């Protein structure tokens, strides 16, 4: 019957969408990669005030 094929098709599409969403889902609370640590600022002498 047409009803059976409609149900099977709907279940197939739902399973396909669930598969795509499970693959594409990424937990945003965890960083993908660790950021590079900040390099220390180079030491520079403080210039004397101009007179």
């Amino acid at each position: 019957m047409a009803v059976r094929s409609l149900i099977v098709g709907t279940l197939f599409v739902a399973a396909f969408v669930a598969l795509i969403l499970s693959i594409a889902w990424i937990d945003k609370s965890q960083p993908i990669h660790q950021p590079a640590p900040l390099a220390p600022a180079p030491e520079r002498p403080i210039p004397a005030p101009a007179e």
Side-chain angles (χ1 to χ4, degrees):
M1 288 190 151
V3 175
R4 182 185 299 174
S5 62
L6 180 65
I7 292 173
V8 170
T10 303
L11 289 176
F12 177 79
V13 170
F16 184 74
V17 169
L19 178 68
I20 295 299
L21 288 178
S22 67
I23 291 173
W25 182 75
I26 298 174
D27 188 4
K28 297 293 185 182
S29 65
Q30 299 294 329
I32 295 175
H33 58 84
Q34 295 294 330
L38 296 176
E43 293 294 328
R44 292 185 298 170
I46 299 173
E51 291 184 16

